[in-house]
Amino acid sequence: MSLKSLDPRINRMNLPDGELPPMEPKAAFDQFETFEVFARKRDKTPFTYAGPVHAPNADVAFLFAKEQYSRRSACSGLWVVLTRHIMVSPYANDDENIYDSFEVEIPEDTTWPLESYEVFHLKKRGKAHTHVGRIGATSYQEAYHKAKAAFAAEHPAVNMWVVKSKNVLQSAEEDRDMWLTLPEKKYREPAAYKVLDRIKKFKEEEEQKALTK
Amino acid sequence: MKREAIKDLLYKIADDQLILGHRNSEWTGLGPILEEDIAFSSMAQDKIGHSLAFYTLLHDLGEPEPDIIAFSRSASRFRNSQFTELPNGEFDFSLIRHFLYDNAEAIRFEKLSTSSYAPIAKVATKLKGEIKYHVLHANTWLRNLGSSTEEAITRLQNSLNTLMPYALGMFEPSVHEQELIATGIYPGEEKIKAEWLTKIQQVVAQTELTLPDISSLPPMLGGRAGQHTKYLQPLLNEMAEVIKIDPTAEW
Amino acid sequence: MYGGGNTFEATKAEDLEQEDAVKLAEFEARIAQGEKIEPDDWMPRLYRMQLIRMIEQHAHSEIIGALPEGTWITRAPGFRRKLALMAKVQDEVGHAQLLYSAAETLGKSREEMLTDLINGKSKYSNVFNYPTYTWADSCIISWLIDAGAIVNQMANSKGSYGPYCRALERICAEEAFHLKYGHDSVVFMATGSPAQRQMVQEALNRWWSQIMTFFGPSDKLSVHTETLMRWKVKMASNDECRQQYLDMYVPKIREIGLTIPDPHLHKNEQTGQWEYTEPDWEEFRKVINGDGPCNAERLGVRRMAEERGAWVRLALKNPTAKYVRPLA
């Protein structure tokens, strides 16, 4: 390997010369857990699934999520949840409602203190899960059933995710200013590049040149 | 007189941001974890954006266009601290520099947001939120790595020891210091430094790292007066390599 | 950024005979109805394997594609270009992250994929094995390679696998900026000073054959290809993509006075098809198999980034962590 790169950054890395032996398979330690990220574009819009990040803990996951999932469009809040903490229902067909696949069974006598659960719906396969609301329940099982009572009629879904609210790391209200300047980075919007005038002028000049020849 | 003081202040702030943003951008595509690659690069981009905002304020005060200021001065006319121009080294080095720099930057922006010079106050207020994330990022990383493996702790400690004298160079007082303080434009480097020390000590105390005793450290000064290490001029040459092919052309 | 070409290697069609016929019929019916497949659904092994291979190669192309353009990141002329190029290369790394995540939902971990990349076991878009000699090369990539990627990705975004579609939706939106930025920077040079003009023409001359190979050789029609098209894994033939690309971009290249370095390139008005000099497919195969101008550097750099970052990942290791694949 001759490494006089065209990239000055690479040359500063002082890569070794010569053939490199095959790399050992990356050990298991390299595999962080994954966290699922939900972002909200505006205050009134629901939190919507954005994608996962790999991270060693929720704090670092938040740092990663903020840049990977909220640097490119408007954002007014971010939620981060360890993947393992999300209970996933089976998937229904697009023309079905997942809530129809089970009967509501809510115990008559709920003596345990209620915990808060967040419920997310997938309206159609291929779309993204969005937050539909919060349920108080004593178990995931009960949260499923209460979610059916609360949301099934008005919000049919092909799939639902349920997670305990306490397991959701939520961005702080006072940190909203982290996203304040997003709309100003115009240079990464297609609309910032307007070259038609330049092309038109160039063509006119070329025609002029051709005429005067 | 006041005008010169403001220009001097703007130059040192913007030059720090440009040079450090440029250095940190070198990590793009080469970071230790995919997500961190994106985060580090995005913050570098913020820094370049900040320098552009401050160069624009300078332009409003009669200095040349930002592209001219940034891409055509020689090293001796740059007012950045030597701290920002040092080559990246490995990730520990860049991370410690990011930690030391952004904690200072946050305090500086906080103060500038109430500056008596309204244009600076406006820009600082607007950009404060970005710096808030930069600090959160730096401090979270330091807390995580600073109390992890022996290798990580040793690396970070070595970088901290190397960088601390250079970091103190950020607070090199300017000849306009008293005037800036008296007119309420900027509270002066001594004040920023004192608050910065308290802040970084708080974070370092939550790790297994030790902050070097600064009473015995000679700060690496000179950057604010245009004295730089051997690394700045090559950085500037590289940055201007394309634009210099035809400085009158539009790129 | 991603093209076709090296995606569909032969996998035995007999694989299908071992699948559960009822489940296979349900699976195919779902796709035929235009429904997306989600990670928890039953899927044939061939579908899973092909998607992993395709999404993984796409992800590798993004992370490796960050290198040739990254070559100019410290030298971009002026603030506007400097900020935009940083944002663009960063987007490519972000795309890799999104795509690795989509592939992970199918059961291959990101670490395995990165190991396979570095050991040369899996491929990435061949064009990134070529160097970017000048600033203009980076602009030509931003415009004309990204344009090719968009043709490909727009087609794939209508495919059948939910997580890949979700990732592509965002990727296509971001690529719209890349394309405009690339076009803008090429137009500035092409309509600029003689030196700029010459620079960008030379870059186009260097990159044209890469552009022509970007979508891969003509597809060989096989039962296998037909199956993958029915499953909406492969969405358009390489030639269809190439023709569509030429329709869209040849006029745009010519209107700014650049010359495409292929005297035979023309549209046959009767067939409606572009005719062109066949690119050197022998060279294409050679480079894809590792013998190109930058293969060693690209993988060497990627590997160095991984190895130099290992202490960071090791330090952050959480001993109680249990990896599960991401949800969607």
Side-chain angles (χ1 to χ4, degrees), chain A:
Chain A
M1 184 164 58
S2 73
L3 269 178
K4 178 75 182 100
S5 175
L6 290 166
D7 188 340
R9 305 175 308 151
I10 305 296
N11 291 328
R12 281 192 284 278
M13 286 174 82
N14 298 319
L15 300 197
D17 271 330
E19 282 286 314
L20 294 171
M23 197 176 79
E24 290 297 311
K26 296 179 69 174
F29 71 73
D30 269 352
Q31 189 74 60
F32 292 143
E33 285 183 281
T34 61
F35 290 77
E36 307 293 349
V37 181
F38 302 84
R40 178 175 69 179
K41 282 207 159 55
R42 277 169 291 280
D43 289 357
K44 296 277 162 60
T45 54
F47 278 87
T48 302
Y49 180 58
V53 291
H54 288 226
N57 56 50
D59 288 343
V60 175
F62 182 83
L63 295 180
F64 291 169
K66 191 263 175 186
E67 290 301 336
Q68 172 63 335
Y69 293 113
S70 74
R71 81 183 190 288
R72 287 299 257 107
S73 60
C75 183
S76 86
L78 211 58
W79 287 358
V80 172
V81 190
L82 185 63
T83 301
R84 280 192 284 125
H85 284 152
I86 300 177
M87 292 299 135
V88 183
S89 81
Y91 280 80
N93 297 331
D94 272 348
D95 56 0
E96 295 169 345
N97 188 347
I98 187 63
Y99 287 109
D100 294 339
S101 66
F102 59 91
E103 294 298 322
V104 178
E105 291 167 27
I106 299 172
E108 290 288 312
D109 178 30
T110 311
T111 51
W112 296 93
L114 294 186
E115 256 192 295
S116 170
Y117 290 77
E118 308 293 340
V119 181
F120 300 87
H121 277 181
L122 182 65
K123 278 188 200 148
K124 190 171 186 264
R125 289 161 166 272
K127 303 292 175 197
H129 286 75
T130 53
H131 186 241
V132 282
R134 187 169 293 166
I135 290 288
T138 58
S139 67
Y140 280 101
Q141 191 64 18
E142 190 182 320
Y144 265 56
H145 291 285
K146 285 192 164 175
K148 175 166 181 170
F151 309 123
E154 213 179 325
H155 304 283
V158 297
N159 180 257
M160 61 187 292
W161 291 352
V162 177
V163 59
K164 284 184 184 175
S165 306
K166 69 169 187 197
N167 288 334
V168 180
L169 177 67
Q170 307 191 359
S171 57
E173 200 51 30
E174 68 267 23
D175 288 341
R176 300 160 61 94
D177 56 346
M178 292 196 302
W179 292 288
L180 200 67
T181 51
L182 278 175
E184 297 189 12
K185 293 172 177 166
K186 300 280 185 216
Y187 54 84
R188 56 185 187 193
E189 303 302 327
Y193 297 93
K194 297 193 171 73
V195 278
L196 288 182
D197 286 349
R198 191 175 281 263
I199 295 171
K200 196 166 155 241
K201 186 164 157 271
F202 172 78
K203 282 177 168 171
E204 283 165 5
E205 283 168 6
E206 290 296 296
E207 275 169 35
Q208 213 52 45
K209 268 190 231 161
L211 284 178
T212 52
K213 255 182 199 168

Side-chain angles (χ1 to χ4, degrees), chain C residues 218-230:
Chain C
S218 297
D219 307 271
K220 280 189 234 93
L221 278 181
S222 68
V223 179
H224 184 67
T225 311
E226 195 262 329
T227 307
L228 293 174
M229 287 187 130
R230 188 170 73 246

